[in-house]
Amino acid sequence: MKILDKYLLKTFVITFTTVFVILFFIFILQTVWLFIAELAGKDLDFILIIKFLSFAMPRIIPLVLPLSVLLASIMTFGNLAENYEFAAIKSSGISLQRAMASLTVFIVILSGAAFVFANNVIPYAEYKFINFRRDIAQKQPAMAIAEGQFSTIGIYNIKVEKKSGANGNHLSGVTIHKKAPDGSGTSTVIKSKSGDLISSNQSNTLKLVLHQGNYYEELLPRKYEERRKLPFAKSSFEKYVINLDLSQFNKMETDDAQITNTNTMLNVNELRYTLDSLDRSYEKDMASFAANIYQRTGVRGNRIPRPKVAVVQDTLKRLEEKATPFKTDLLASYNVEQRSAILKIASANIESTKFSISGSQVEMREKLKNINNHLLALNDKFVIAYACLLMFFIGAPLGAIIRKGGLGLPIVFSILIFITFHFINTFGKRMAQQDGISPFLGAWMSSIILTPLAILLTYRATNDIGLFSLDNITHPFQKAFRKLFPIKQSE
């Protein structure tokens, strides 16, 4: 048995390593494509590019590892079944479960390593990745502005004809388009002959000092007829200073939520500590908001005179005699002026409460979304470990059933299964972020749905049953057809 275990383990490890390297290289190319806008035209040397990609690579592992396990399992067991090696193993009295025992131990160890990697390496890499991008912009600020093309930093679109100096800090032929505050388009254009970039390691602000230029600003007349003339104001300057926020340059265009939130930089213990603080803060804010709303509903006694006790008792007595609680007139004890004042105050309180609720709703929703993101990040560290086991128990029996190795049919099944897994996982996380479902269910939804498939495939492979049986589908139709058209036997 030791020889068989070594043979199966060696075959699987070689296949898994080959598949993992190929898929990892493909996903690296995808990462380069996503960040090509930041890497191209920034005068980055080869070492900086390697560091940049090295810090971005660990986030690829949660995608590559389960897919590699799935494809390697299908290919390994498909080759064994296709070459009748499984038939020889079963003829020796060795079951499929026993043949998978050594590989199961290897997958369990791999799952544990995946959890350790997700809990320690990925948070550290995310932290270094974000800070490395910020350090590049701070230490070499000229990289934030490409030569000969427009570079967007916050509300400014900047184009320079030429960069010079030791670090490219001296600019020539500067053109700046400043976006309108309302987002309607460009409202200001600044042109200068030269400029200098000044930065500090202790600040996220990049200072751009322009020399000898003009400032053009569009004007919007009140009369519509004058707007057709497109009037603008022009002024010249000898020196003009613009402060650029480098935090805008440090944002990722593909997935702002992951790059700006700190939940991806924390391990399990840190996430639990942070979640405890966030839950307390959320409950405190909700209690404070509820108390504030409750105070808004009160009516001050000095603004509305209270009715006499005798009048109130008489009103309650008459209401009890009529026994019509749903048609009670609560303002019956007040005169017309008092009723009008009460209704005005009630209406004002309602409008104020609605405004307060609408203003606080967005804030509370963002806080709840932040809590859900931290819960998702906590569960993801365990999901990646379980996903490796799940993909193995889907791929291994599926390969034994389809009896096809190589890169043909196994790749088709692997892509279909993994796309389903990834789609359900993404859908569940989006629902959990919007508080549609619990974060636990959102993170584990794909695993919960595909676990019955792994159990079914393992059962069918263990009992030598095909992927699906056409007899179970066609038998009811055959039975019905025979009842409708019975066959007459010849005498």
Side-chain angles (χ1 to χ4, degrees):
M1 292 300 295
K2 292 183 179 180
I3 298 176
L4 178 62
D5 292 335
K6 289 180 179 180
Y7 173 72
L8 292 176
L9 186 61
K10 179 181 178 181
T11 304
F12 180 83
V13 170
I14 293 175
T15 306
F16 171 77
T17 304
T18 304
V19 171
F20 181 83
V21 171
I22 294 174
L23 293 177
F24 194 74
F25 179 75
I26 294 174
F27 278 89
I28 288 176
L29 293 179
Q30 182 192 21
T31 302
V32 173
W33 178 257
L34 290 176
F35 293 101
I36 192 66
E38 295 187 18
L39 300 177
K42 300 295 175 66
D43 297 331
L44 295 174
D45 56 25
F46 182 73
I47 296 177
L48 289 178
I49 294 177
I50 293 299
K51 287 184 178 180
F52 186 90
L53 294 177
S54 298
F55 293 140
M57 286 177 185
R59 63 171 59 193
I60 301 174
I61 300 299
L63 291 175
V64 177
L65 192 59
L67 180 58
S68 301
V69 172
L70 176 63
L71 184 56
S73 302
I74 296 178
M75 291 177 62
T76 301
F77 285 83
N79 282 325
L80 293 174
E82 186 178 14
N83 297 326
Y84 298 100
E85 292 178 279
F86 260 135
I89 293 173
K90 292 180 180 179
S91 63
S92 301
I94 302 174
S95 62
L96 178 63
Q97 295 93 325
R98 179 60 187 87
M100 294 171 58
S102 59
L103 295 181
T104 302
V105 175
F106 173 77
I107 295 298
V108 170
I109 297 175
L110 183 65
S111 300
F115 172 78
V116 174
F117 186 87
N119 189 43
N120 298 282
V121 179
I122 293 180
Y124 176 77
E126 287 288 329
Y127 173 79
K128 297 293 291 184
F129 178 65
I130 294 176
N131 286 276
F132 181 74
R133 296 173 68 188
R134 186 186 62 186
D135 291 341
I136 289 177
Q138 289 178 339
K139 295 178 180 179
Q140 302 184 32
M143 292 182 181
I145 301 175
E147 188 177 284
Q149 66 182 32
F150 280 99
S151 301
T152 301
I153 303 179
I155 62 174
Y156 297 97
N157 289 328
I158 304 174
K159 178 182 178 181
V160 298
E161 295 179 358
K162 187 178 180 180
K163 296 189 297 185
S164 59
N167 296 321
N169 290 1
H170 184 71
L171 310 177
S172 300
V174 182
T175 302
I176 300 176
H177 292 175
K178 184 180 178 181
K179 300 177 184 177
D182 57 356
S184 58
T186 302
S187 62
T188 304
V189 177
I190 305 172
K191 300 191 70 174
S192 67
K193 293 182 179 180
S194 62
D196 294 302
L197 290 171
I198 303 174
S199 64
S200 174
N201 293 337
Q202 287 77 28
S203 176
N204 280 332
T205 302
L206 176 64
K207 183 181 292 185
L208 175 59
V209 182
L210 303 176
H211 305 283
Q212 297 181 354
N214 297 316
Y215 186 96
Y216 305 90
E217 184 176 4
E218 295 180 359
L219 301 178
L220 187 62
R222 294 182 178 180
K223 296 182 179 181
Y224 182 78
E225 295 78 8
E226 297 180 359
R227 295 183 185 180
R228 299 180 181 180
K229 300 179 182 180
L230 301 177
F232 65 92
K234 176 183 177 182
S235 61
S236 60
F237 57 84
E238 292 295 327
K239 182 180 179 181
Y240 188 79
V241 179
I242 298 177
N243 293 321
L244 305 175
D245 187 7
L246 288 179
S247 61
Q248 299 295 326
F249 172 70
N250 190 38
K251 287 185 178 180
M252 183 186 300
E253 297 179 357
T254 55
D255 195 352
D256 292 337
Q258 291 185 0
I259 200 70
T260 55
N261 290 335
T262 58
N263 49 55
T264 56
M265 306 179 196
L266 305 177
N267 56 30
V268 171
N269 294 329
E270 293 170 342
L271 282 170
R272 288 175 177 172
Y273 178 81
T274 305
L275 280 169
D276 183 64
S277 301
L278 291 175
D279 287 336
R280 291 182 180 180
S281 177
Y282 181 77
E283 292 176 359
K284 183 179 179 181
D285 292 341
M286 288 294 293
S288 176
F289 176 72
N292 185 25
I293 293 298
Y294 179 76
Q295 291 178 358
R296 288 174 179 269
T297 60
V299 180
R300 296 180 182 179
N302 58 353
R303 299 180 61 182
I304 300 298
R306 297 182 180 180
K308 297 180 179 180
V309 177
V311 176
V312 174
Q313 292 178 350
D314 182 65
T315 303
L316 293 175
K317 184 177 180 180
R318 286 189 286 107
L319 291 175
E320 291 177 356
E321 292 176 355
K322 293 182 179 179
T324 55
F326 294 101
K327 297 182 180 181
T328 300
D329 186 4
L330 299 178
L331 302 178
S333 302
Y334 299 93
N335 56 36
V336 176
E337 294 181 356
Q338 292 174 347
R339 292 181 185 181
S340 177
I342 291 174
L343 292 176
K344 287 181 180 180
I345 294 175
S347 178
N349 286 337
I350 292 174
E351 293 297 328
S352 178
T353 302
K354 288 172 60 178
F355 180 79
S356 178
I357 291 175
S358 62
S360 301
Q361 187 177 13
V362 177
E363 181 182 358
M364 294 299 177
R365 193 173 293 171
E366 288 298 323
K367 290 185 177 182
L368 185 60
K369 184 179 180 180
N370 189 27
I371 294 175
N372 291 336
N373 284 331
H374 280 76
L375 287 172
L376 288 172
L378 178 62
N379 285 278
D380 279 342
K381 300 183 185 302
F382 298 93
V383 170
I384 183 177
Y386 181 76
C388 295
L389 283 170
L390 178 64
M391 293 303 166
F392 174 74
F393 282 100
I394 291 177
L398 184 60
I401 291 173
I402 63 176
R403 299 179 182 179
K404 289 291 182 180
L407 296 174
L409 194 59
I411 289 183
V412 176
F413 278 101
S414 299
I415 292 176
L416 291 177
I417 294 173
F418 186 76
I419 287 177
T420 303
F421 177 83
H422 186 65
F423 174 79
I424 297 174
N425 189 35
T426 303
F427 176 77
K429 288 182 178 180
R430 296 295 183 187
M431 290 287 292
Q433 286 177 351
Q434 303 300 327
D435 205 36
I437 56 178
S438 66
F440 176 83
L441 182 59
W444 288 91
M445 180 181 292
S446 55
S447 300
I448 294 173
I449 293 177
L450 291 182
T451 296
L453 176 62
I455 297 174
L456 177 64
L457 291 176
T458 304
Y459 172 78
R460 298 183 76 88
T462 303
N463 294 276
D464 292 328
I465 305 175
L467 186 60
F468 55 87
S469 178
L470 291 177
D471 293 337
N472 295 332
I473 300 176
T474 59
H475 182 69
F477 295 98
Q478 293 177 355
K479 187 176 180 181
F481 185 81
R482 289 173 182 172
K483 289 183 177 180
L484 293 175
F485 305 99
I487 300 175
K488 296 181 179 180
Q489 296 181 354
S490 57
E491 296 180 358

